[in-house]
Amino acid sequence: MQKTFAMIKPDAVERNLIGKILSRVEEEGFKISGLKLVEMSKKQAEGFYSVHSDRPFFNDLTAYMSSGKTVLMVLEREDAISHWRTVMGATNPEEANEGTIRKEFGESIERNSTHGSDAVETASEEISYWFSGFEI
Ligand code: IDP
Ligand code: MG
């Protein structure tokens, strides 16, 4: 079993898609080990996305991520990290495969509805950025 960190981003929370996306999480065989709804601050968003701090979209991205509520999740499954990335689809919804969450729900490359960690090390860092040990 492996853990990954996932989010339902503000664009999807705003459009009442929490239930649909959580259903998909369960259908894909993930165990939900941690779950909470937060309205992150701009500073928290900047810290979370610090790897992208030199990118031209950094300010817009962190403004958007702090513009409303986000669902934070720790998901557990065999091969959780790569499986969740497959279920989400490509970063840009226009390039995402049919049947993926980003293809179905994403509005733009920025407002792409979900997040998923990309590697074992980042998954562990991202989980501890948002969750304390007793929450998972
Ligand atoms: P990922 O979420 O698929 O791992 P990353 O490259 O890590 O994609 O980018 C993090 C987030 O930043 C994306 O999910 C998306 O919300 C936003 N983003 C990425 N590239 C762009 C862009 O070119 N323009 C605007 N926003 C972007
Ligand atoms: Mg990423």
Side-chain angles (χ1 to χ4, degrees):
M1 293 286 258
Q2 185 181 63
K3 287 190 180 77
T4 192
F5 173 72
M7 299 192 280
I8 304 174
K9 294 181 175 182
D11 69 275
V13 173
E14 265 166 32
R15 287 176 290 139
N16 282 356
L17 294 169
I18 294 175
K20 285 203 172 98
I21 294 172
L22 285 183
S23 291
R24 182 69 186 273
V25 164
E26 293 185 332
E27 282 160 21
E28 294 291 340
F30 291 97
K31 177 171 175 262
I32 301 174
S33 307
L35 180 69
K36 57 186 167 186
L37 184 67
V38 304
E39 191 158 343
M40 64 181 75
S41 67
K42 181 82 158 52
K43 285 230 149 38
Q44 285 177 308
E46 287 168 0
F48 181 74
Y49 281 115
S50 61
V51 65
H52 294 307
S53 61
D54 293 334
R55 310 287 284 278
F57 58 80
F58 181 68
N59 189 52
D60 272 2
L61 171 64
T62 53
Y64 149 64
M65 288 301 297
S66 55
S67 70
K69 288 180 175 164
T70 294
V71 177
L72 310 179
M73 299 175 275
V74 178
L75 304 181
E76 202 165 340
R77 213 198 89 129
E78 189 183 315
D79 218 9
I81 295 169
S82 75
H83 191 76
W84 180 244
R85 301 248 344 156
T86 303
V87 170
M88 287 199 303
T91 307
N92 186 348
E94 285 177 14
E95 289 163 13
N97 290 334
E98 284 303 328
T100 62
I101 292 174
R102 284 167 164 176
K103 175 73 173 187
E104 189 172 357
F105 300 127
E107 297 184 310
S108 69
I109 191 167
E110 179 180 270
R111 298 170 62 89
N112 59 3
S113 301
T114 50
H115 167 87
S117 307
D118 61 7
V120 173
E121 220 170 76
T122 48
S124 153
E125 286 167 12
E126 291 176 359
I127 289 167
S128 23
Y129 189 85
W130 295 112
F131 288 89
S132 63
F134 67 83
E135 292 176 310
I136 49 180

